[in-house]
Amino acid sequence: MRRMFFLAIAAAIFAAAAFGFQNRGTQGGRGQQPTPNADPYANNATPGTTQFPLAAPAGKDSNAFNVAPPGAVNQGPFDPLKWKYGNAFDAPAGSKIWNPVKLKMMQGGKVTGGTLFNSTDPAIYCAMANAGYDFIWTEMQHDTRDWGAVGRMWRTCPDAKAVPGVRVAYTDEREIQHALDAGALVVVVPTVDTLEEAIEARNWAYFPPLGRRSQGGGQAFDASMWGSVPGGYRNTINDNVVLILMIETLEGLKNADAIAKVPGVTAVFAASGDLGNFSGYRQTTPDYERAINIVHDAAIKAGVRLCGPVAWRDRADFTCFQAGSEVAAITRGVAAELGPLANTQAKPEVGPFAQPRR
């Protein structure tokens, strides 16, 4: 009896697994197209049956390094410097920009990112993303949250008015690819000091041939995020990603012109706080203003956008801004909502509320 019971359970598990596999990668079950996915095995309906007519013969040196197969575009000995990149991942002819931030920048408009500094609550993220900003600047340089928490927030409301954006911690393959694979459409890279660092940031932000981002998957490829955009995510994201490099140090100022001219850089950010921190001068002093103007000039010469704090939204040529945090937004919002009723609490003579409030 016990044996029959276990056999019945095993049969049920097998049936459930078979049903799940049959419907894996589809929207709405059988008979529909597989959802977009970067995993080459996710939608393989007939594993083990693929033919490989151009494969090297078993146990034999094919001499592929020196001789190309018939019909190959790249003939002669293999040379990565002379490689002609294929068209498998070209954006379809006539593709249009689907990232509203990139589109607005191309049109010359002013874009603003609201800073999500502390929260990991998807409800707060979604409220900010629908509050009027162009993108959400999710802070990963100065906050301790992890990428799992960020990914959960972004996928909760991918169709919010503001697109997901992030300031990563540093110029790094892991950081930038984590951000993009989770769905970021705006990537801000801090403390870029040299041309080499700018190229590295560009490389991890873009797929080949412009960059070196690997196609490893992530929720950005899912249909619930960007997998179903016109033209497909892989083929169009290079045209839609926004890459902003922050110039914050004296070394960065020295190399600002070269940094701004790196192909793929959308904008340079004149770091209002850290340029003061690294220069030793405060805003409005001649030395500080000279530093900001160096970044300004680099952007103008390179033909890229110029970013800064939202307080500079009326400063000449600045068209891209970082706004305040969620805490600051709540404070301002309540004050605006209450008007003259704000901060009119009664003042008890005794107890904890009798003390002066900060």
Side-chain angles (χ1 to χ4, degrees):
M1 187 69 180
R2 180 177 296 179
R3 183 170 179 272
M4 292 181 63
F5 176 76
F6 284 121
L7 286 173
I9 292 177
I13 293 173
F14 180 81
F19 180 80
F21 179 81
Q22 189 176 49
N23 288 278
R24 184 182 178 188
T26 63
Q27 287 181 302
R30 299 173 64 180
Q32 297 190 24
Q33 292 297 315
T35 57
N37 195 304
D39 183 352
Y41 305 103
N43 299 314
N44 186 356
T46 56
T49 63
T50 306
Q51 300 297 310
F52 304 97
L54 295 178
K60 182 180 179 181
D61 183 350
S62 68
N63 199 28
F65 195 92
N66 296 301
V67 179
V73 172
N74 293 278
Q75 292 291 326
F78 174 76
D79 185 346
L81 298 178
K82 297 179 180 179
W83 188 264
K84 298 174 183 176
Y85 193 77
N87 60 7
F89 300 106
D90 288 355
S95 291
K96 296 182 178 181
I97 300 299
W98 49 264
N99 178 359
V101 175
K102 187 66 171 284
L103 182 62
K104 192 174 182 182
M105 283 182 154
M106 293 171 64
Q107 293 172 342
K110 295 184 177 183
V111 302
T112 304
T115 307
L116 190 78
F117 198 96
N118 299 295
S119 181
T120 57
D121 186 342
I124 292 178
Y125 168 81
C126 292
M128 284 196 73
N130 283 303
Y133 301 109
D134 294 294
F135 69 97
I136 298 301
W137 175 307
T138 307
E139 182 55 53
M140 293 295 281
Q141 182 189 17
H142 292 293
D143 192 79
T144 58
R145 71 185 134 220
D146 59 34
W147 285 109
V150 172
R152 284 190 293 274
M153 290 190 294
W154 290 355
R155 68 173 174 260
T156 301
C157 51
D159 296 325
K161 296 175 183 177
V163 306
V166 63
R167 175 161 63 177
V168 296
Y170 45 89
T171 302
D172 178 77
E173 176 181 5
R174 182 179 187 274
E175 280 290 291
I176 295 175
Q177 292 200 148
H178 272 36
L180 292 164
D181 288 347
L185 297 180
V186 179
V187 177
V188 183
V189 183
T191 325
V192 178
D193 289 340
T194 65
L195 171 62
E196 291 74 20
E197 288 179 354
I199 292 173
E200 184 179 12
R202 187 278 311 280
N203 282 348
W204 304 128
Y206 288 88
F207 284 120
L210 180 57
R212 297 187 60 199
R213 180 185 173 192
S214 66
Q215 188 167 263
Q219 67 184 29
F221 292 83
D222 294 345
S224 60
M225 288 288 284
W226 320 127
S228 296
V229 297
Y233 176 79
R234 170 60 182 87
N235 290 54
T236 62
I237 188 59
N238 273 11
D239 294 329
N240 284 275
V241 70
V242 171
L243 177 62
I244 302 172
L245 303 185
M246 299 189 72
I247 297 178
E248 310 189 61
T249 67
L250 300 181
E251 187 74 10
L253 291 174
K254 173 185 174 183
N255 298 303
D257 284 357
I259 290 169
K261 290 177 181 177
V262 170
V265 173
T266 314
V268 289
F269 192 110
S272 57
D274 265 323
L275 278 173
N277 177 44
F278 283 95
S279 71
Y281 294 93
R282 296 191 182 277
Q283 188 170 333
T284 75
T285 63
D287 294 271
Y288 178 95
E289 297 301 325
R290 180 185 185 185
I292 301 301
N293 288 341
I294 288 173
V295 184
H296 166 277
D297 296 348
I300 296 302
K301 286 182 279 189
V304 299
R305 295 295 166 187
L306 179 60
C307 304
V310 72
W312 293 357
R313 58 184 174 272
D314 295 321
R315 187 166 180 151
D317 296 320
F318 280 79
T319 60
C320 161
F321 309 100
Q322 179 190 15
S325 69
E326 68 270 40
V327 174
I330 290 170
T331 302
R332 289 192 303 269
V334 171
E337 179 183 33
L338 295 182
L341 295 177
N343 297 311
T344 57
Q345 297 90 343
K347 305 297 182 184
E349 294 182 4
V350 296
F353 295 99
Q355 304 299 320
R357 306 305 298 273
R358 293 181 180 179

